[in-house]
Amino acid sequence: MTGSDFILLLINMDYLRVTDEALKKGAEILKSGGLVAFPTETVYGLGADAFNPKAIARIFEVKNRPFFDPLIIHIANIDALEKTADLSRLSKKTHDNLFKLAEKLWPGPLSIILPKNDKIPGIATSGLPTAAIRLPDNEAARKLIALSSGAVAAPSANPFGALSPTRAEHVKTGLGEKVDLILDGGPCKIGVESTVLDITDDCIKILRPGGTPREAIEKLIDAVEGYDNNEQRDSGEQGLASPGLLKSHYAPETPLTVLSREEIIKLPINEDQKTAFLFYDGNTRDRWLSKQFGAQEPPDSFIIKVLSQTGDLLEAASRLFETLHEIDNCNITQIFAQLAPRNGLGEAINDRLQRGAKKDVE
Ligand code: TXA
Ligand code: MG
């Protein structure tokens, strides 16, 4: 074996396609305190045993994530709620709401804030008495969790503040050898993170818009308090209801500007700058092309991408991070991105674009 074969072998050992064998290996690594990156329907997660504080500390270290930003606890079935949450502390109404949501929307991209039980260490929840609990809609993820301790703490598997990974390759590029095993389950179906919903209070609140649209939640329980990205918590770390909601987050390395459909069509363009244009739908791209260039071709210095030709929110969400990763690798100086419509998954898409456009992590 040559030196480079040996290096390849080492790399391959850390990177496995999802199979029963690979999942067993992943579960063993988790049980012995290691870190395993795994696919979910939203984005790839960086998992550690949710009952092991040392393993969880490594997540923060590897991601360079501030300790005030709590993790989501992933479970494999509704019964495992009891392993992580203290349901005896819920009012009757909250208890009813929890099961209405869980029965219809789990497995799925919804993380529900609940009082944590004593087995979940404080480091997982950044000292909060509550934990965000989620049952992912991905069979490999659920098998991995079930084969391990039954609860896996996992943030998205990217360096803190960077674009979230929707393919195993993104994890490899972002975190590489710092992870003990990367399980490759192909591209993520939804492509934006779960909705984080706080039901512990009388007033039910979306703390982070995500893969479960507000409309789906409101069909099952009372009205949910509005989420306004611009109002988000200017009060500093201590005041954050969801401490992960920093203004700048999910950011590509290239400066990003977000614009409405009307604004992007009219935007004055500079052909000398290597620029990427990220359109939500094909119709807007076509209107822009004909307004800016008439019958001419756009310059080669421009990269032009469309999230969904037909303007389908699910397709657009599933391609958002992936397309931003691609653009980010093209050595350009700026990105202009069109906002999505505000309904359904559009709320989550726009939230990620707006956070990606903010410059300062506060
Ligand atoms: O789709 C997802 O949610 C992905 C996959 C891997 O499951 N995970 C993910 O985790 O996005 P992360 O760590 O990147 O985001 C967790 C979010 C943060 O905004 C955090 O502040 C919030 O959940 N969160 C966690 N526990 C909380 C708690 N007890 N109270 C309020 N917010 C909480
Ligand atoms: Mg994240």
Side-chain angles (χ1 to χ4, degrees):
M1 192 169 13
T2 66
S4 61
D5 284 345
F6 181 65
I7 289 168
L8 261 181
L9 180 69
L10 275 182
I11 290 171
N12 288 335
M13 271 169 52
D14 298 333
Y15 191 91
L16 297 174
R17 291 279 319 168
V18 165
T19 58
D20 283 347
E21 271 316 293
L23 292 171
K24 264 189 222 153
K25 178 169 175 181
E28 288 311 315
I29 293 174
L30 288 172
K31 282 196 267 186
S32 60
L35 300 187
V36 176
F38 63 98
T40 80
E41 79 280 31
T42 57
V43 300
Y44 274 74
L46 177 62
D49 179 353
F51 305 115
N52 180 338
K54 265 199 187 153
I56 295 172
R58 257 190 82 204
I59 291 184
F60 286 93
E61 187 183 63
V62 160
K63 275 189 61 113
N64 205 7
R65 176 177 175 120
F67 280 96
F68 60 76
D69 191 359
L71 307 177
I72 292 175
I73 312 291
H74 297 69
I75 55 177
N77 49 57
I78 294 187
D79 295 342
L81 262 175
E82 310 265 359
K83 276 179 162 260
T84 50
D86 181 355
L87 301 185
S88 71
R89 284 168 53 202
L90 296 179
S91 68
K92 159 118 183 43
K93 185 158 181 219
T94 307
H95 193 276
D96 290 350
N97 282 341
L98 168 63
F99 283 91
K100 278 186 206 159
L101 292 166
E103 272 157 24
K104 288 273 190 265
L105 298 176
W106 276 0
L110 177 67
S111 298
I112 305 180
I113 306 287
L114 293 170
K116 77 171 189 73
N117 70 15
D118 294 343
K119 296 196 203 100
I120 298 293
I123 185 171
T125 64
S126 302
L128 293 172
T130 54
I133 298 179
R134 146 161 155 79
L135 174 51
D137 185 16
N138 178 296
E139 210 185 325
R142 290 198 305 273
K143 276 191 182 164
L144 176 74
I145 299 163
L147 289 168
S148 70
S149 67
V152 172
S156 48
N158 53 325
F160 181 70
L163 289 174
S164 293
T166 55
R167 289 176 182 270
E169 294 82 8
H170 299 155
V171 182
K172 202 169 178 180
T173 313
L175 299 176
E177 281 90 74
K178 295 179 186 160
V179 181
D180 298 309
L181 173 67
I182 298 173
L183 289 169
D184 182 356
C188 299
K189 194 168 68 181
I190 297 200
V192 288
E193 295 84 347
S194 60
T195 300
V196 179
L197 184 72
D198 189 352
I199 61 167
T200 56
D201 213 37
D202 279 347
C203 164
I204 294 168
K205 269 196 220 106
I206 290 185
L207 302 182
R208 174 179 75 178
T212 300
R214 175 208 308 255
E215 294 88 330
I217 298 168
E218 286 183 335
K219 265 193 203 149
L220 301 171
I221 56 172
D222 311 340
V224 174
E225 187 182 293
Y227 173 85
D228 179 352
N229 181 281
N230 294 317
E231 258 181 21
Q232 276 305 306
R233 343 269 163 187
D234 285 329
S235 49
E237 288 154 25
Q238 301 309 322
L240 296 178
S242 186
L245 287 176
L246 298 169
K247 280 200 200 160
S248 169
H249 214 116
Y250 313 106
E253 301 202 349
T254 318
L256 168 69
T257 307
V258 291
L259 301 157
S260 68
R261 174 183 155 88
E262 292 68 37
E263 286 168 334
I264 203 163
I265 291 173
K266 291 194 301 224
L267 186 73
I269 53 174
N270 175 353
E271 305 205 355
D272 302 331
Q273 294 246 1
K274 265 199 104 185
T275 305
F277 294 86
L278 178 57
F279 291 96
Y280 168 69
D281 62 316
N283 178 284
T284 308
R285 185 232 11 234
D286 294 346
R287 285 218 30 220
W288 173 81
L289 281 174
S290 79
K291 174 148 179 35
Q292 301 280 2
F293 309 103
Q296 310 282 99
E297 288 291 310
D300 290 344
S301 56
F302 286 4
I303 292 176
I304 301 162
K305 301 264 182 195
V306 176
L307 286 180
S308 166
Q309 198 55 36
T310 57
D312 176 70
L313 283 166
L314 184 60
E315 184 185 26
S318 71
R319 299 198 52 233
L320 176 68
F321 286 126
E322 174 166 342
T323 312
L324 286 169
H325 275 288
E326 270 172 37
I327 294 175
D328 229 8
N329 289 332
C330 291
N331 218 358
I332 47 167
T333 50
Q334 56 184 338
I335 307 171
F336 292 110
Q338 177 196 352
L339 288 165
R342 271 184 248 156
N343 59 306
L345 286 179
E347 201 174 4
I349 296 174
N350 291 343
D351 173 72
R352 303 306 185 270
L353 284 172
Q354 278 158 343
R355 279 177 211 282
K358 297 257 165 70
K359 287 185 186 56
D360 301 312
V361 173
E362 288 151 58

PDB file of all heavy atoms in Angstrom, residues 156-169:
ATOM      1  N   SER A 156     -26.552  21.572  13.849  1.00  0.00           N
ATOM      2  CA  SER A 156     -26.167  21.336  12.465  1.00  0.00           C
ATOM      3  C   SER A 156     -24.647  21.118  12.399  1.00  0.00           C
ATOM      4  O   SER A 156     -23.900  21.700  13.194  1.00  0.00           O
ATOM      5  CB  SER A 156     -26.577  22.534  11.610  1.00  0.00           C
ATOM      6  OG  SER A 156     -26.162  23.734  12.226  1.00  0.00           O
ATOM      7  N   ALA A 157     -24.212  20.272  11.455  1.00  0.00           N
ATOM      8  CA  ALA A 157     -22.809  19.846  11.429  1.00  0.00           C
ATOM      9  C   ALA A 157     -21.949  20.794  10.594  1.00  0.00           C
ATOM     10  O   ALA A 157     -21.363  20.404   9.587  1.00  0.00           O
ATOM     11  CB  ALA A 157     -22.723  18.419  10.892  1.00  0.00           C
ATOM     12  N   ASN A 158     -21.888  22.053  11.016  1.00  0.00           N
ATOM     13  CA  ASN A 158     -21.094  23.055  10.309  1.00  0.00           C
ATOM     14  C   ASN A 158     -20.345  23.885  11.340  1.00  0.00           C
ATOM     15  O   ASN A 158     -20.755  23.937  12.496  1.00  0.00           O
ATOM     16  CB  ASN A 158     -22.024  23.972   9.489  1.00  0.00           C
ATOM     17  CG  ASN A 158     -23.132  24.573  10.335  1.00  0.00           C
ATOM     18  OD1 ASN A 158     -23.638  23.927  11.254  1.00  0.00           O
ATOM     19  ND2 ASN A 158     -23.513  25.798  10.074  1.00  0.00           N
ATOM     20  N   PRO A 159     -19.256  24.576  10.940  1.00  0.00           N
ATOM     21  CA  PRO A 159     -18.638  25.497  11.882  1.00  0.00           C
ATOM     22  C   PRO A 159     -19.658  26.563  12.265  1.00  0.00           C
ATOM     23  O   PRO A 159     -20.506  26.943  11.450  1.00  0.00           O
ATOM     24  CB  PRO A 159     -17.482  26.117  11.086  1.00  0.00           C
ATOM     25  CG  PRO A 159     -17.234  25.177   9.952  1.00  0.00           C
ATOM     26  CD  PRO A 159     -18.550  24.539   9.643  1.00  0.00           C
ATOM     27  N   PHE A 160     -19.617  27.036  13.496  1.00  0.00           N
ATOM     28  CA  PHE A 160     -20.620  27.966  14.007  1.00  0.00           C
ATOM     29  C   PHE A 160     -20.766  29.192  13.100  1.00  0.00           C
ATOM     30  O   PHE A 160     -19.781  29.794  12.682  1.00  0.00           O
ATOM     31  CB  PHE A 160     -20.235  28.421  15.420  1.00  0.00           C
ATOM     32  CG  PHE A 160     -21.228  29.354  16.018  1.00  0.00           C
ATOM     33  CD1 PHE A 160     -22.478  28.904  16.395  1.00  0.00           C
ATOM     34  CD2 PHE A 160     -20.930  30.699  16.170  1.00  0.00           C
ATOM     35  CE1 PHE A 160     -23.417  29.772  16.928  1.00  0.00           C
ATOM     36  CE2 PHE A 160     -21.860  31.578  16.705  1.00  0.00           C
ATOM     37  CZ  PHE A 160     -23.106  31.115  17.084  1.00  0.00           C
ATOM     38  N   GLY A 161     -22.011  29.525  12.778  1.00  0.00           N
ATOM     39  CA  GLY A 161     -22.289  30.735  11.993  1.00  0.00           C
ATOM     40  C   GLY A 161     -22.233  30.513  10.486  1.00  0.00           C
ATOM     41  O   GLY A 161     -22.716  31.333   9.726  1.00  0.00           O
ATOM     42  N   ALA A 162     -21.631  29.391  10.041  1.00  0.00           N
ATOM     43  CA  ALA A 162     -21.472  29.158   8.597  1.00  0.00           C
ATOM     44  C   ALA A 162     -22.739  28.530   8.012  1.00  0.00           C
ATOM     45  O   ALA A 162     -23.679  28.196   8.732  1.00  0.00           O
ATOM     46  CB  ALA A 162     -20.272  28.255   8.352  1.00  0.00           C
ATOM     47  N   LEU A 163     -22.737  28.372   6.688  1.00  0.00           N
ATOM     48  CA  LEU A 163     -23.882  27.748   6.013  1.00  0.00           C
ATOM     49  C   LEU A 163     -24.103  26.344   6.545  1.00  0.00           C
ATOM     50  O   LEU A 163     -23.153  25.604   6.779  1.00  0.00           O
ATOM     51  CB  LEU A 163     -23.588  27.632   4.517  1.00  0.00           C
ATOM     52  CG  LEU A 163     -23.581  28.917   3.702  1.00  0.00           C
ATOM     53  CD1 LEU A 163     -23.120  28.607   2.274  1.00  0.00           C
ATOM     54  CD2 LEU A 163     -24.978  29.521   3.681  1.00  0.00           C
ATOM     55  N   SER A 164     -25.361  25.944   6.663  1.00  0.00           N
ATOM     56  CA  SER A 164     -25.641  24.592   7.155  1.00  0.00           C
ATOM     57  C   SER A 164     -25.384  23.558   6.065  1.00  0.00           C
ATOM     58  O   SER A 164     -25.528  23.843   4.882  1.00  0.00           O
ATOM     59  CB  SER A 164     -27.093  24.504   7.613  1.00  0.00           C
ATOM     60  OG  SER A 164     -27.276  25.317   8.736  1.00  0.00           O
ATOM     61  N   PRO A 165     -25.009  22.335   6.473  1.00  0.00           N
ATOM     62  CA  PRO A 165     -24.676  21.281   5.506  1.00  0.00           C
ATOM     63  C   PRO A 165     -25.910  20.496   5.075  1.00  0.00           C
ATOM     64  O   PRO A 165     -26.632  19.965   5.909  1.00  0.00           O
ATOM     65  CB  PRO A 165     -23.728  20.378   6.306  1.00  0.00           C
ATOM     66  CG  PRO A 165     -24.138  20.574   7.731  1.00  0.00           C
ATOM     67  CD  PRO A 165     -24.768  21.918   7.857  1.00  0.00           C
ATOM     68  N   THR A 166     -26.140  20.403   3.776  1.00  0.00           N
ATOM     69  CA  THR A 166     -27.262  19.596   3.293  1.00  0.00           C
ATOM     70  C   THR A 166     -26.770  18.359   2.543  1.00  0.00           C
ATOM     71  O   THR A 166     -27.564  17.609   2.000  1.00  0.00           O
ATOM     72  CB  THR A 166     -28.183  20.429   2.376  1.00  0.00           C
ATOM     73  OG1 THR A 166     -27.384  20.979   1.330  1.00  0.00           O
ATOM     74  CG2 THR A 166     -28.850  21.551   3.138  1.00  0.00           C
ATOM     75  N   ARG A 167     -25.455  18.165   2.513  1.00  0.00           N
ATOM     76  CA  ARG A 167     -24.843  16.961   1.950  1.00  0.00           C
ATOM     77  C   ARG A 167     -23.677  16.558   2.839  1.00  0.00           C
ATOM     78  O   ARG A 167     -23.038  17.422   3.450  1.00  0.00           O
ATOM     79  CB  ARG A 167     -24.249  17.244   0.562  1.00  0.00           C
ATOM     80  CG  ARG A 167     -25.275  17.451  -0.499  1.00  0.00           C
ATOM     81  CD  ARG A 167     -24.601  17.818  -1.813  1.00  0.00           C
ATOM     82  NE  ARG A 167     -25.612  18.053  -2.814  1.00  0.00           N
ATOM     83  CZ  ARG A 167     -26.109  17.103  -3.614  1.00  0.00           C
ATOM     84  NH1 ARG A 167     -25.640  15.879  -3.558  1.00  0.00           N
ATOM     85  NH2 ARG A 167     -27.062  17.382  -4.476  1.00  0.00           N
ATOM     86  N   ALA A 168     -23.357  15.257   2.819  1.00  0.00           N
ATOM     87  CA  ALA A 168     -22.244  14.780   3.646  1.00  0.00           C
ATOM     88  C   ALA A 168     -20.938  15.477   3.247  1.00  0.00           C
ATOM     89  O   ALA A 168     -20.089  15.761   4.090  1.00  0.00           O
ATOM     90  CB  ALA A 168     -22.113  13.275   3.504  1.00  0.00           C
ATOM     91  N   GLU A 169     -20.793  15.806   1.952  1.00  0.00           N
ATOM     92  CA  GLU A 169     -19.554  16.471   1.490  1.00  0.00           C
ATOM     93  C   GLU A 169     -19.374  17.824   2.189  1.00  0.00           C
ATOM     94  O   GLU A 169     -18.251  18.250   2.443  1.00  0.00           O
ATOM     95  CB  GLU A 169     -19.579  16.717  -0.031  1.00  0.00           C
ATOM     96  CG  GLU A 169     -19.575  15.470  -0.892  1.00  0.00           C
ATOM     97  CD  GLU A 169     -20.965  14.849  -1.049  1.00  0.00           C
ATOM     98  OE1 GLU A 169     -21.959  15.473  -0.620  1.00  0.00           O
ATOM     99  OE2 GLU A 169     -21.058  13.724  -1.569  1.00  0.00           O
TER     100      GLU A 169
END
